[in-house]
Amino acid sequence: MNLFAEIRSLVIASLDDMVGAGELPAGLDTTNVAVEPPRDAAHGDMATNAAMVLAKPAGMQPRAIADALAARLAADPRIVTAEAAGPGFLNMRLAPSVWQGVVRSALKTGRDFGRSDLGKGVRVNVEFVSANPTGPMHVGHTRGAVFGDALAALLDFAGHEVTREYYINDGGAQVDVLARSAYERYREAHGLDPEIAEGLYPGDYLIPVGEALKAKFGDTLLNKPESEWLAEVRDFATAEMLQMIRDDLALLGVTMDVFTSEKAITASGRVEEAIDTLRGMGLIYEGTLEPPKGKLPEDWEEREQTLFRSTAHGDDVDRPVKKSDGSWTYFAPDIAYHWDKVSRGYDQLIDVLGADHGGYVKRLKAVVSALSNGRVPLEVKLIQLVKLFKNGEPFKMSKRAGTFVTLRDVVEQAGADVTRFVMLTRKNDAALDFDFDKVLEQSKDNPVFYVQYAHARVCSVIRKAAEAGIPADDAVLAAADLKKLSHDAELGLARKIAEWPRLVEIAARGQEPHRIAFYLYELASELHALWNRGNEDTSLRFVQEGDAPTSQAKIALARAAGVVISAGLGILGVTPAEEMR
RNA sequence: GGCCCCGUAGCUCAGGGGAUAGAGCGACCGCCUCCUAAGCGGUAGGUCAUAGGUUCGAAUCCUAUCGGGGCCGCCA
């Protein structure tokens, strides 16, 4: 139940009544009428801009509309006061019973409180991570993994039918490089000196792969030309790398629904099919590209090649799908892959990519637009860099030296919960500082801890109630006499809880899981504040010794906040702590 | 040369058409015989990069400019 949506319906219905009564002209567009929490709580519980939005089309003064609307709204039992203010806002105060109802609703529906049917019937594919299967996942992948997983969970919570998908780039030259690198480790496993030439992957993580190759193939691959071992070693090493990546993802609690292999797509002839389909639309042609403007690359020369007319779908220039020697470009399998996703019947595609893929976005959108006849929107979420700090000092990673910071390093040092939460406290298109010291600090400076602590306090209250002989399980709490929740400080917490379903929809619409993290921080703050009020005013404590009914009402409120924190952390993939030790 | 992201308090960042622009940190002043003070309350701190435009209304949308970062060729 989204209280704001309910009151908006009431406002719209009241506007319709006004039209019926001749107080407003018919045919007004109400899509921009909003019901929101006012910026300043002193203005009331909810505000609508209806009068300001409609004043001009209705040819009336905002104030006149607001006053007439206020009179109608005030007749509803949920609304205590409705008054025009400022430039034409209509501020409303809601009855305590409404807030009490929110608490009860949260307790009855539990962690499903706030679930939305916003995305009902919408099939969404979220593709994320898609790291090359050539090594362990590093920090950048970690953020993409966390973001994609949380976004998927958020969309699911908002009613979408979500598929989490990983695209395995196992078809390009990089897996050949992997094979050669692994082969050197295989030689090493036989006591030979590995020759890690420039361009090969130097990381130690391939040493066990070399051992495994030895265990599987013995010495049968030694001293053979590359052509005789490349395919087998490549397949073996790729599988090993993929398993390592799955293990890395598992450390973060990320599980994919679908893995799609580039190699398999290519082998199935989907690339040709996809290009032929585009050709049938007149979007493939032979031609030459304009040289890039500005500084010319030194070896630039005009060459005729097969091009995709992506400019017909919003791109800046047409893009090559074949090199001048007739082989596919990297883009071609991507076309096939996105065509594959479109043909699987999704209503919406989301690609979570590293920010270095920025130049790729328009052509991907063009592909999906063309191949779905504009039916399927593709959203590309670019994940900006993670800057790592330790002791206040940034530390660099060097892939060349094989000394990059891996996902495993981060999770082992910071823990999965902390890593996930921190990486979700920033929107995806802003760079993120990740400071190992700050992130592990157990204080209010650390939002992870702060939110966890709020949840733990709720659990503590319930334990305390049990010790005092007051039943406080969810069924009892849901049936508590919530009319006893009347203090403004208590209703304030209930108001914050009431924002949760609305926030879920806003976050899902914007595909912005970070909003969940910020909301949870605010909710935790409200709870901590109320808690402390109990230090000064004992009547505000949750547990009132010797008064079970009052205690249960207050604990119900705390528990409702706990339920929302738990649900929100669930979306972020963070475990709600029951106690802090 | 073109494209993308960012520019909001001393610092780190929310807010992305609506009222007097928010939070945390840092600074300063308070609050524990009492459910976890691992917390809470308060004070100080702003030309929302700049200049135009759209609008009843702009930090928010548009254009240009200036800063910071990233990307851009038949590479993957």
Side-chain angles (χ1 to χ4, degrees):
Chain A
M1 76 166 230
N2 182 340
L3 194 54
F4 293 86
E6 283 179 26
I7 299 299
R8 181 175 185 276
S9 300
L10 174 65
V11 168
I12 300 294
S14 302
L15 290 169
D16 287 344
D17 290 347
M18 287 169 66
V19 172
E23 295 168 25
L24 271 179
L28 291 174
D29 178 8
T30 57
T31 50
N32 287 328
V33 171
V35 172
E36 302 173 315
R39 192 194 285 272
D40 185 342
H43 291 136
D45 299 325
M46 289 189 187
T48 178
N49 60 356
M52 289 182 291
V53 171
L54 299 178
K56 197 170 184 184
M60 295 170 65
Q61 291 297 320
R63 205 70 187 210
I65 299 176
D67 287 336
L69 181 58
R72 289 182 181 274
L73 292 174
D76 189 278
R78 287 168 289 183
I79 297 189
V80 178
T81 63
E83 49 194 34
F89 284 100
L90 185 53
N91 293 326
M92 293 168 270
R93 283 183 196 284
L94 273 59
S97 60
V98 173
W99 307 117
Q100 292 152 3
V102 167
V103 172
R104 191 171 322 275
S105 173
L107 289 171
K108 280 187 175 165
T109 40
R111 282 180 52 145
D112 285 335
F113 176 70
R115 251 186 206 280
S116 165
D117 59 1
L118 184 73
K120 195 174 181 189
V122 181
R123 297 187 63 204
V124 184
N125 179 294
V126 183
E127 181 214 326
F128 61 110
V129 186
S130 299
N132 286 341
T134 55
M137 306 214 342
H138 56 69
V139 204
H141 297 131
T142 308
R143 188 177 180 193
V146 168
F147 176 85
D149 190 50
L151 176 58
L154 171 60
L155 293 175
D156 175 86
F157 200 71
H160 301 75
E161 199 178 312
V162 181
T163 301
R164 289 169 168 85
E165 180 151 337
Y166 187 116
Y167 179 52
I168 312 164
N169 286 120
D170 54 1
Q174 75 280 8
V175 285
D176 289 342
V177 174
L178 171 71
R180 293 184 192 109
S181 310
Y183 184 78
E184 291 305 319
R185 296 303 187 180
Y186 164 75
R187 292 182 62 249
E188 186 178 23
H190 280 92
L192 302 163
D193 280 338
E195 294 165 25
I196 313 292
E198 185 76 20
L200 294 189
Y201 301 126
D204 290 347
Y205 59 87
L206 288 175
I207 293 174
V209 176
E211 301 281 356
L213 281 167
K214 180 185 172 189
K216 180 167 183 192
F217 295 102
D219 58 5
T220 59
L221 304 180
L222 284 178
N223 302 315
K224 294 278 171 59
E226 182 178 298
S227 58
E228 288 183 28
W229 52 258
L230 185 70
E232 271 186 304
V233 170
R234 183 180 58 210
D235 290 352
F236 184 85
T238 306
E240 290 285 310
M241 292 301 102
L242 202 57
Q243 187 54 49
M244 185 161 76
I245 287 168
R246 283 178 195 254
D247 292 345
D248 282 353
L249 288 172
L251 283 178
L252 267 183
V254 174
T255 310
M256 297 288 176
D257 300 313
V258 176
F259 284 82
T260 300
S261 152
E262 174 189 351
K263 198 173 144 194
I265 292 239
T266 307
S268 71
R270 298 288 269 174
V271 176
E272 287 77 5
E273 284 175 33
I275 300 298
D276 285 347
T277 304
L278 288 174
R279 197 186 306 276
M281 297 171 169
L283 294 173
I284 298 289
Y285 68 101
E286 304 298 318
T288 55
L289 285 173
E290 297 278 314
K293 291 178 177 133
K295 281 179 198 164
L296 264 190
E298 292 188 7
D299 55 350
W300 172 267
E301 56 182 87
E302 275 200 0
R303 281 179 271 217
E304 183 168 284
Q305 51 194 314
T306 307
L307 299 168
F308 165 47
R309 199 180 302 282
S310 54
T311 49
H313 288 268
D315 202 354
D316 304 316
V317 291
D318 293 337
R319 304 293 179 175
V321 296
K322 269 189 185 176
K323 305 178 190 177
S324 52
D325 67 4
S327 64
W328 296 118
T329 63
Y330 180 79
F331 183 37
D334 275 343
I335 294 175
Y337 173 51
H338 282 82
W339 188 47
D340 184 71
K341 286 198 277 192
V342 167
S343 60
R344 276 186 264 152
Y346 292 106
D347 301 304
Q348 196 184 349
L349 301 182
I350 299 176
D351 286 4
V352 177
L353 301 174
D356 55 342
H357 290 70
Y360 229 69
V361 174
K362 285 186 179 178
R363 77 191 71 172
L364 286 177
K365 286 191 173 195
V367 163
V368 173
S369 170
L371 288 172
S372 73
N373 291 312
R375 184 185 73 85
V376 179
L378 167 69
E379 284 295 327
V380 180
K381 312 297 280 185
L382 295 178
I383 305 297
Q384 285 290 342
L385 286 177
V386 177
K387 293 181 202 158
L388 291 174
F389 292 84
K390 195 157 193 174
N391 304 318
E393 293 289 316
F395 57 88
K396 293 257 178 190
M397 42 189 272
S398 159
K399 200 165 184 174
R400 175 160 304 209
T403 59
F404 50 67
V405 178
T406 63
L407 176 149
R408 188 170 287 267
D409 293 336
V410 174
V411 173
E412 280 175 357
Q413 285 191 57
D417 284 339
V418 166
T419 303
R420 292 188 60 121
F421 194 101
V422 170
M423 291 203 169
L424 290 167
T425 52
R426 202 106 312 169
K427 38 191 167 187
N428 59 288
D429 45 18
L432 170 82
D433 290 350
F434 191 97
D435 189 317
F436 283 103
D437 304 302
K438 285 187 183 168
V439 136
L440 291 173
E441 199 172 294
Q442 303 237 319
S443 77
K444 61 178 173 175
D445 308 355
N446 182 349
V448 196
F449 175 80
Y450 188 81
V451 172
Q452 293 275 30
Y453 185 34
H455 188 265
R457 274 185 152 172
V458 172
C459 296
S460 160
V461 162
I462 291 169
R463 285 193 297 269
K464 203 80 188 175
E467 286 168 20
I470 299 169
D473 58 83
D474 281 358
V476 170
L477 296 179
D481 178 13
L482 298 178
K483 287 195 190 64
K484 292 177 180 296
L485 293 176
S486 56
H487 194 285
D488 202 54
E490 293 167 336
L491 295 180
L493 180 55
R495 286 185 188 99
K496 197 71 198 175
I497 292 168
E499 287 178 25
W500 170 240
R502 173 174 182 270
L503 182 103
V504 167
E505 295 191 349
I506 291 174
R509 273 201 196 91
Q511 300 171 351
E512 297 171 320
H514 75 276
R515 286 180 184 268
I516 303 288
F518 280 94
Y519 169 83
L520 291 179
Y521 185 86
E522 290 168 12
L523 179 61
S525 182
E526 293 277 347
L527 185 91
H528 287 310
L530 180 56
W531 181 286
N532 252 70
R533 295 283 298 264
N535 286 336
E536 303 153 14
D537 180 349
T538 52
S539 73
L540 284 175
R541 291 188 192 171
F542 296 106
V543 177
Q544 300 287 318
E545 302 252 357
D547 184 349
T550 302
S551 298
Q552 283 158 348
K554 291 172 183 294
I555 296 166
L557 173 64
R559 174 62 182 154
V563 159
V564 171
I565 291 175
S566 173
L569 288 178
I571 291 171
L572 303 184
V574 176
T575 322
E578 307 221 334
E579 56 183 347
M580 313 297 287
R581 293 285 177 211

